[in-house]
């Protein structure tokens, strides 16, 4: 073992040390061969190559490409040549780019110089614009000076005023009314005396007193400050005599009137109101000297009535109860069971008419003095018509239970409900004026007129001396037939000659007058105040602003312009105005409307150009369009400078208004669709602002970024939104606003619908199929005047709004009913589109069958409330004159209407 570990032999018998020496020597030899031999060979060959000259080189390049004969070497040569060419090309490209960079640097410098020059020019233009605006304001100030409100110089409490007129009948507004207390800008403040503050207040009819107090609270003109009042109202009747409170004598009542705290010795600017609920009312003011105070009552004698100063008012039938519009008979069919009816009793005339003997003709009666009473001849003629049986008529000159009446006046028969049932079956209702021509107005005749209008019987007033309620402001010839008593023999022919269209128009106008001026105690008081205000030419108070809860929101990045606005396709828009939002000027034409359009405003349903005297809507609004809402801007343009549509038509050398509109958008948990719709509004001409009605119970997300379209976006919440749904914006808005300017009293839009009569079920149907005619334009994409939104919310019958709230549907149908009822015109459809397109919106409600069933019910219910079908068919559609017309770009294009 020791020999093996120390220096023994290996497996072949050789010592281990010898083997190690051999390995070392072998390694050294291999290293020498691999390292030094190539070096020596290289040196040797190089020396020989240099010594032999160029022709005898072994490894260097030789002429003729002898070393490139092999394939491998040829490939290497080609690669070297290709790389060399690419390097040359890159170098040329580099030099070219350097030259381009130099040229661009020169252009940049030139642009910088141009920008500096443009900034200077812009600054100069701004200065010029500023100077021009300043000069324009100076010129406007010189030509249209800014007026301030006049200082109101109110008289002292004890101011005796002017001396009284020579005669009580000589009182007129110019001589008995103090205009100084009622400036045009006063707002017409009215002070109403408390009925408990004067002695005869205890004798007033409790129902009249309570109804009057309720109406006073709802009036916007009533003030509690008597020192600023323009008019002082005193309720003097109807009086009710009781043992504890006897009626005051004439002299006593006169003393009590003079004792009123603001009577000022002559009662100027006072209005004594006597509201009657009975057919026979006491005319206790006949022998009372009222001084300069005006009187408003239903009964007047000729020597008592002061034309243009006193007021003939309607009776107060519905003192505390509201009329039920669903119980009012429909206005169609036009012809009813009876051609005309009359029920009344007049003892004085009845006895003479029943006497036997030859009758005298009118010519014979007129040979002498004019007969004092034609009632005998009227009775005989009407009986003859009834006996002829050419038409079914009902005339009765005796009553089982006649109501109390004034002398020579025809007494009413029976109870009110019985009379209404007869009138519901009557096409015409005769109203025979009192036989005494001195009785120019009576409560009994006014009661007959009221009941006839209430149920749709056309009044026929016999007697041209009669003064109907508010006859100086209401054109009664549009709702009633006025016939002098001598023409009683021609009455039958006259009534039979009227066409159905004329009858329906008169019946509809009568319904409007009844609803507007006579139906409720609020209407009666409002009409009385509006009569005085209109007579003294004071514009009405403005509409109350309705507060809305605004939701704060964050504006994000600037929205881009919709490409569709630049690419008009087949629709050529002509000149387009792109001006910033412009505020609505107020009180521009209120005085003009008040003074110039008195009859128009009192005798038409309240449209955008009509006053509504018994509501806060009296004032005339600036012309404002809604899509669906409104803002307006006015900017002068020079005549002949072009424009679009209405501006081009009106700009003939003068200044005309420039109008803008507001978009109202209703949304419910559709944030993405809403943001896309808002972005598409950017750059839209005529747009003033956007109102977003957030109809979801959850507020918008905190991280929601609203697009910046360069215009105000107001986000609000409402408890109810009765008219306005907006789902899609298109280029058609520019066309629609121009069309609306030409017909601003109508609804203008594109989703057309129509109504149809179901013969099998005898009812109306709502139809959305494609058709060549339409009667409705849905408010989801339509323009209308914002005045209609007010009428919808405050004037339209409450029953319709209740049904809309119940179904959460039909608000667009209700708006079409309202506008057609007011204007008697159909809507205007624009473009050829028939339905909405809302990308990203879920399935619409219109795809649900229940949606259509509800709309069928709505139409039939609305017809029942209005009493007739107000919707009108039309086959009219508006497009651009150059719609789908290809014109060269160098030709002038225009925009008109067909």
């Amino acid at each position: 073992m020791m020999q093996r570990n120390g220096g023994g032999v290996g497996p072949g018998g050789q010592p281990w040390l010898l083997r190690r020496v051999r390995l070392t020597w072998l390694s050294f030899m291999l290293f020498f061969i691999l390292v030094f031999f190539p070096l020596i060979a290289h040196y040797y060959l190089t020396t020989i190559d240099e010594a032999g000259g160029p022709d005898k080189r072994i490894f260097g390049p030789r002429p003729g490409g002898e070393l490139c004969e092999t394939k491998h070497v040829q490939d290497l040569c080609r690669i070297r040549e290709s790389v060399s060419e690419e390097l040359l090309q890159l170098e040329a490209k580099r030099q070219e780019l350097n030259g381009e960079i130099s040229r661009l640097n020169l252009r940049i410098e030139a642009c910088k110089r141009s920008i500096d020059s443009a900034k200077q020019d812009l600054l100069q233009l701004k200065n010029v614009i500023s100077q021009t605006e300043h000069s324009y304001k100076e010129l406007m100030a010189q030509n249209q000076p800014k007026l301030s409100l006049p200082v109101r110089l109110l008289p002292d409490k004890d101011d005796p005023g002017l001396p009284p007129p020579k005669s009580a009948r000589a009182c007129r507004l110019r001589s008995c009314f103090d205009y100084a207390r009622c400036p045009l800008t006063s707002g017409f403040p009215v002070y109403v005396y408390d009925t408990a503050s004067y002695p005869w207040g205890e004798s007033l009819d409790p129902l009249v007193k309570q109804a009057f107090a309720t109406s006073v609270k709802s009036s916007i003109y009533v003030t509690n400050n008597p020192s600023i009042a323009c008019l002082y109202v005193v309720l003097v009747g109807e009086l009710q005599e009781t043992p504890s409170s006897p009626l005051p004598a004439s002299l006593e009542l006169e003393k009590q009137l003079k004792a009123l705290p603001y009577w000022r010795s002559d009662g100027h600017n006072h209005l004594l109101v006597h509201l009657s609920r009975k057919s026979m009312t006491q005319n206790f003011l006949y022998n009372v000297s009222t001084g300069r105070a005006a009187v408003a009552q239903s009964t007047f004698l000729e020597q008592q009535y002061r034309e243009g100063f006193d007021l003939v008012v309607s009776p107060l039938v519905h003192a505390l109860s509201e009329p039920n519009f669903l119980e009012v008979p429909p206005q169609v069919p036009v012809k009813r069971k009876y051609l005309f009816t009359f029920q009344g009793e007049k003892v004085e005339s009845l006895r003479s008419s029943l006497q036997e003997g030859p009758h005298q003709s009118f010519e014979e009666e007129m040979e002498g003095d004019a007969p004092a009473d034609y009632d005998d001849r009227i009775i005989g003629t009407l009986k003859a018509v009834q006996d002829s049986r050419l038409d079914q008529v009902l005339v009765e000159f005796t009553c089982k239970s006649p109501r109390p009446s004034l002398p020579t006046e025809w007494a009413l028969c029976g109870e009110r409900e019985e009379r209404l049932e007869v009138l519901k079956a009557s096409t015409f209702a005769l109203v025979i004026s009192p036989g005494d021509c001195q009785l120019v107005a009576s409560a009994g005749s006014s009661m007959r007129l009221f009941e006839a209008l209430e149920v749709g019987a056309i009044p026929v007033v016999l007697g041209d001396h009669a003064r109907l309620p508010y006859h100086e402001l209401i054109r009664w010839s549009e709702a009633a037939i006025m016939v002098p008593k001598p023409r009683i023999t021609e009455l039958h022919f006259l009534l039979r000659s009227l066409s159905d269209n004329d009858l329906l128009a008169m019946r509809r106008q009568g319904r409007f007058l009844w609803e507007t001026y006579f139906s409720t105690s609020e209407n009666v008081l409002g009409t009385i105040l509006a009569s005085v205000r209109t007579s003294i030419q004071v514009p009405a108070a403005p509409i109350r602003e309705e507060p809305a809860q605004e939701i704060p929101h964050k504006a994000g990045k600037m929205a881009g312009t919709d490409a569709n606005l630049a690419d008009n396709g087949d629709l050529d828009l002509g000149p387009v105005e792109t001006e910033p939002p412009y505020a609505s000027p107020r009180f521009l034409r209120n005085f003009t409307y008040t003074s110039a359009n008195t009859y128009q405003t009192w005798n038409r349903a309240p449209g955008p150009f009509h006053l509504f005297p018994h509501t806060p809507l009296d004032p005339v609004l600036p012309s404002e369009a809604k899509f669906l809402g409104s803002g307006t801007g006015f900017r002068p343009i020079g005549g002949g400078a072009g424009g679009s549509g209405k501006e081009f038509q009106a700009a003939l050398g003068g200044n005309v208004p420039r109008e803008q509109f507001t978009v109202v958008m209703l949304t419910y948990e559709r944030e993405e669709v809403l943001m896309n719709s808002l972005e598409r509004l950017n750059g839209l001409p005529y747009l003033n602002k956007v109102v977003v009605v957030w109809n979801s119970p959850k507020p918008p997300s905190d991280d929601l970024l609203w697009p910046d379209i360069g215009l105000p976006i107001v986000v609000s919440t409402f408890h109810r939104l009765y008219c306005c749904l907006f789902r899609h914006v298109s280029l058609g808005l520019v066309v629609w606003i121009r069309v609306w300017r030409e017909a601003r009293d109508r609804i203008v839009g594109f989703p057309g619908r129509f109504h149809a009569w179901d013969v099998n079920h005898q009812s109306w149907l709502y139809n959305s199929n494609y058709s060549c005619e339409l009667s409705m334009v849905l408010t989801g994409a339509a323009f209308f005047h914002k005045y209609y939104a007010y009428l919808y919310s405050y004037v339209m019958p409450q029953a319709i709004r209740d049904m809309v709230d119940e179904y959460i549907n039909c608000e667009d149908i209700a708006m079409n009913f309202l506008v057609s009822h007011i204007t008697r015109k159909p809507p205007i459809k624009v473009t050829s589109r028939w339905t909405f397109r809302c990308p990203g919106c879920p399935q619409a409600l219109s795809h649900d069958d229940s949606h259509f069933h509800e709309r069928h019910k709505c139409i039939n219910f609305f017809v029942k409330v209005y009493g007739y079908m107000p919707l009108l068919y039309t086959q009219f559609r508006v497009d651009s004159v150059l719609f789908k017309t290809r014109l060269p770009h160098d030709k002038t294009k225009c925009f008109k209407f067909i």
Side-chain angles (χ1 to χ4, degrees):
M1 180 65 67
M2 292 180 58
Q3 183 180 6
R4 181 179 179 89
N5 294 337
V9 297
Q14 295 178 352
W16 175 79
L17 181 59
L18 181 61
R19 188 178 58 181
R20 184 175 182 182
V21 172
R22 290 179 178 176
L23 290 174
T24 302
W25 174 253
L26 181 59
S27 300
F28 176 78
M29 291 300 294
L30 289 173
F31 176 79
F32 179 81
I33 293 172
L34 294 175
V35 176
F36 288 97
F37 181 76
L39 293 175
I40 296 172
H42 180 271
Y43 174 76
Y44 175 73
L45 292 174
T46 303
T47 303
I48 295 176
D49 206 14
E50 291 177 352
D55 296 335
K56 298 181 178 181
R57 288 181 180 177
I58 300 175
F59 298 100
R62 295 185 178 183
E66 296 177 358
L67 296 179
C68 295
E69 293 178 356
T70 63
K71 181 177 180 181
H72 180 67
V73 176
Q74 290 176 354
D75 291 341
L76 292 177
C77 292
R78 284 194 299 268
I79 291 172
R80 184 186 66 180
E81 293 174 357
S82 175
V83 170
S84 299
E85 290 178 359
E86 290 181 359
L87 290 175
L88 293 175
Q89 293 176 359
L90 289 175
E91 178 64 21
K93 188 70 173 179
R94 184 183 67 82
Q95 295 178 0
E96 181 181 354
L97 291 176
N98 287 336
E100 184 68 22
I101 290 173
S102 300
R103 289 191 296 272
L104 291 176
N105 288 332
L106 295 176
R107 292 182 61 183
I108 290 173
E109 295 297 329
C111 290
K112 288 181 179 181
R113 291 191 297 270
S114 300
I115 291 175
D116 294 337
S117 177
K119 288 181 178 180
Q120 296 295 329
D121 296 340
L122 179 61
L123 182 60
Q124 294 178 2
L125 289 175
K126 288 182 178 180
N127 294 332
V128 172
I129 292 174
S130 177
Q131 294 175 2
T132 304
E133 290 179 350
H134 183 71
S135 301
Y136 173 75
K137 291 179 180 179
E138 289 181 348
L139 291 175
M140 293 296 294
Q142 294 175 4
N143 295 293
Q144 298 180 359
K146 189 174 182 180
L147 301 178
S148 59
L149 296 178
V151 178
R152 299 190 62 183
L153 302 177
L154 300 178
D156 296 334
K157 178 179 178 181
D158 299 329
D159 183 8
L162 299 175
K166 297 180 180 180
S167 170
R169 294 202 60 189
C171 253
R172 297 295 184 268
L173 286 174
R174 62 181 179 272
S175 59
C176 293
F177 193 87
D178 185 6
Y179 282 85
R181 300 191 65 91
C182 305
L184 294 176
T185 56
S186 64
F188 192 61
V190 177
Y191 178 79
V192 180
Y193 284 92
D194 186 3
T195 55
S197 63
Y198 39 83
W200 73 89
E202 298 179 356
S203 301
L204 291 172
D205 187 327
L207 290 179
V208 173
K209 183 163 55 175
Q210 185 178 356
F212 183 78
T214 303
S215 303
V216 167
K217 292 180 180 178
S218 63
S219 176
I220 65 170
Y221 296 108
V222 174
T223 178
N224 295 324
N225 186 359
S227 62
I228 67 171
C230 165
L231 184 69
Y232 299 84
V233 177
V234 185
L235 181 64
V236 297
E238 185 168 44
L239 297 181
Q240 188 176 16
E241 185 176 9
T242 61
S244 60
S245 57
L247 297 180
S250 299
L251 293 178
E252 183 182 356
L253 180 58
E254 186 174 333
K255 292 180 180 179
Q256 293 174 358
L257 288 174
K258 293 181 178 180
L260 292 175
Y262 309 104
W263 188 260
R264 297 185 179 89
S265 75
D266 59 2
H268 61 273
N269 289 48
H270 275 65
L271 180 65
L272 307 182
V273 179
H274 184 190
L275 300 177
S276 59
R277 293 197 310 113
K278 304 175 183 178
S279 58
M280 179 180 179
T281 182
Q282 309 91 346
N283 188 12
F284 59 87
L285 292 177
Y286 173 64
N287 293 321
V288 176
S289 176
T290 59
R292 283 194 171 94
V295 178
Q297 61 183 21
S298 301
T299 302
F300 280 101
L301 294 175
E302 185 177 8
Q303 58 269 28
Q304 175 191 12
Y305 179 66
R306 295 168 291 185
E307 191 81 27
F309 190 70
D310 294 329
L311 288 176
V312 179
V313 301
S314 61
L316 186 61
V317 178
H318 299 286
L320 294 177
S321 61
E322 293 284 340
N324 190 351
F325 291 96
L326 298 180
E327 295 180 358
V328 177
Q331 299 186 35
V332 290
V334 177
K335 301 292 181 60
R336 296 179 177 178
K337 178 181 179 180
Y338 299 110
L339 177 63
F340 62 84
T341 59
F342 179 80
Q343 292 176 308
E345 181 173 330
K346 184 179 178 184
V347 178
E348 303 93 310
S349 298
L350 179 62
R351 292 174 181 172
S352 61
S353 65
L354 296 179
Q355 293 178 353
E356 297 181 359
H359 294 285
Q360 289 182 325
S361 66
F362 274 107
E363 291 78 4
E364 293 174 343
E365 292 180 356
M366 294 299 294
E367 286 180 358
D369 295 335
D373 192 355
Y374 289 102
D375 290 349
D376 294 346
R377 182 58 59 186
I378 290 174
I379 292 174
T381 303
L382 295 181
K383 282 185 175 182
V385 174
Q386 186 178 26
D387 295 339
S388 67
R389 298 186 179 181
L390 294 176
D391 292 290
Q392 193 169 0
V393 300
L394 175 63
V395 290
E396 295 178 354
F397 301 106
T398 58
C399 301
K400 296 180 180 179
S401 56
R403 314 304 296 177
S405 62
L406 297 174
T408 73
E409 184 182 24
W410 289 91
L412 296 171
C413 294
E415 299 297 330
R416 167 178 157 81
E417 290 73 17
E418 298 174 353
R419 298 194 299 269
L420 291 180
E421 289 300 322
V422 174
L423 292 174
K424 288 179 181 179
S426 306
T427 305
F428 299 96
L430 299 187
V431 180
I432 304 178
S433 59
D436 186 0
C437 294
Q438 299 297 320
L439 189 59
V440 296
S442 65
S445 298
S446 297
M447 192 72 70
R448 290 182 182 273
L449 180 69
F450 180 93
E451 292 177 352
L453 295 177
E454 182 177 4
V455 296
I458 300 174
V460 179
V461 181
L462 290 176
D464 54 356
H465 67 282
R467 299 290 190 272
L468 300 184
Y470 316 107
H471 62 93
E472 294 180 333
L473 296 171
I474 294 177
R475 188 179 289 117
W476 279 104
S477 59
E478 296 183 356
I481 299 175
M482 316 293 292
V483 180
K485 286 185 177 181
R487 291 196 179 276
I488 183 61
T489 57
E490 301 175 288
L491 179 63
H492 188 205
F493 165 76
L494 175 63
L495 299 183
R496 297 184 68 183
S497 64
L498 296 176
S499 66
D500 289 354
N501 290 336
D502 294 337
L503 294 179
L504 182 58
M506 296 182 71
R507 182 174 294 166
R508 185 169 53 245
Q509 181 68 7
R511 173 73 176 270
F512 161 71
L513 295 177
W514 176 76
E515 289 182 357
T516 306
Y517 304 120
F518 313 138
S519 59
T520 65
S521 59
E522 289 82 2
N523 291 356
V524 171
L525 178 61
T527 305
I528 292 174
L529 298 181
S531 301
V532 178
R533 182 190 53 75
T534 305
S535 299
I536 62 176
Q537 298 180 330
V538 175
I543 296 175
R544 291 173 178 171
E545 296 290 342
E546 292 293 336
Q549 183 180 359
E550 187 171 347
I551 301 176
H553 57 282
K554 296 183 297 183
K557 64 179 181 178
M558 186 69 182
T561 303
D562 188 2
N564 292 329
L565 294 177
D567 184 12
N568 300 340
D570 293 330
L571 182 62
D572 180 59
L573 300 178
V576 175
E577 301 85 2
T578 55
E579 54 188 353
Y582 205 88
S584 300
R586 301 211 177 240
F587 208 82
L588 285 182
R589 295 196 62 198
N590 288 17
F591 180 75
T592 307
Y593 281 114
T594 304
S595 60
N597 300 339
T598 301
Y599 266 112
Q600 180 182 5
T601 57
W602 276 76
N603 294 277
R604 289 289 182 271
F609 303 107
H610 303 139
L611 306 182
F612 202 55
H614 77 287
T615 68
L617 214 61
D618 278 340
V620 175
L621 302 174
S623 298
E624 300 185 1
K626 274 184 175 290
F627 186 86
L628 305 162
S630 178
T632 184
F634 286 81
R635 182 172 69 86
I637 62 174
S644 58
K646 190 69 176 179
E647 292 86 352
F648 184 80
Q649 173 185 340
L652 300 176
N655 295 333
V656 298
R658 299 295 293 273
E659 294 170 317
Q660 297 177 337
F661 66 93
T662 294
V663 169
V664 178
M665 307 176 69
L666 181 70
T667 182
Y668 182 84
E669 297 182 355
R670 297 178 180 177
E671 294 183 354
E672 183 178 356
V673 176
L674 174 63
M675 297 302 110
N676 293 335
S677 299
L678 289 173
E679 289 182 357
R680 298 191 64 185
L681 293 174
N682 187 39
L684 187 65
Y686 311 109
L687 184 58
N688 182 274
K689 62 179 177 295
V690 180
V691 176
V692 177
V693 181
W694 194 265
N695 214 26
S696 174
K698 298 185 298 183
S701 306
D702 295 335
D703 56 349
L704 182 63
L705 294 179
W706 297 71
D708 183 4
I709 61 175
L711 299 169
I713 298 179
V714 181
V715 185
S716 303
T717 58
F718 293 91
H719 296 292
R720 289 185 177 95
L721 184 67
Y722 283 128
C723 51
C724 312
L725 305 173
F726 175 69
R727 306 188 187 102
H728 185 65
V729 177
S730 68
L731 185 63
L733 292 180
V734 179
V735 181
W736 301 350
I737 183 62
R738 294 178 178 176
V739 176
W740 179 85
R741 287 173 174 174
E742 302 286 344
R744 58 188 64 238
D745 59 337
R746 299 160 82 170
I747 299 177
V748 176
F750 78 85
R753 301 292 185 266
F754 65 96
H755 66 289
W757 179 252
D758 186 354
V759 179
N760 296 328
H761 297 88
Q762 293 294 297
S763 62
W764 294 103
L765 296 177
Y766 170 84
N767 203 316
S768 63
N769 296 330
Y770 290 94
S771 173
C772 61
E773 61 183 5
L774 58 95
S775 59
M776 293 175 282
V777 166
L778 303 187
T779 56
F783 279 91
F784 59 83
H785 199 286
K786 76 173 187 178
Y787 189 58
Y788 292 132
Y790 182 90
L791 296 181
Y792 186 105
S793 301
Y794 297 98
V795 178
M796 189 178 67
Q798 180 64 38
I800 295 180
R801 292 192 293 270
D802 292 340
M803 190 170 194
V804 171
D805 290 341
E806 179 183 356
Y807 286 165
I808 317 179
N809 195 350
C810 305
E811 76 288 338
D812 45 5
I813 300 178
M815 177 60 75
N816 278 270
F817 266 70
L818 174 66
V819 176
S820 296
H821 170 66
I822 290 173
T823 63
R824 302 307 305 141
K825 297 177 183 179
I828 296 179
K829 186 183 187 306
V830 290
T831 76
S832 59
R833 294 179 54 189
W834 193 263
T835 58
F836 286 110
R837 288 183 302 178
C838 184
C841 296
Q843 186 177 7
L845 291 174
S846 57
H847 294 164
D848 188 0
D849 291 339
S850 62
H851 174 78
F852 281 93
H853 291 309
E854 291 175 352
R855 295 173 84 81
H856 297 330
K857 294 179 181 178
C858 287
I859 285 186
N860 288 279
F861 181 78
F862 297 166
V863 169
K864 191 173 183 180
V865 173
Y866 281 102
Y868 75 110
M869 168 54 75
L871 298 179
L872 300 173
Y873 291 107
T874 180
Q875 297 181 355
F876 178 77
R877 194 188 84 193
V878 176
D879 283 312
S880 169
V881 168
L882 298 181
F883 181 64
K884 291 187 176 180
T885 301
R886 300 296 183 180
L887 292 178
H889 293 289
D890 58 343
K891 300 294 183 181
T892 302
K893 298 185 179 182
C894 61
F895 183 88
K896 296 182 181 177
F897 302 106
I898 59 173

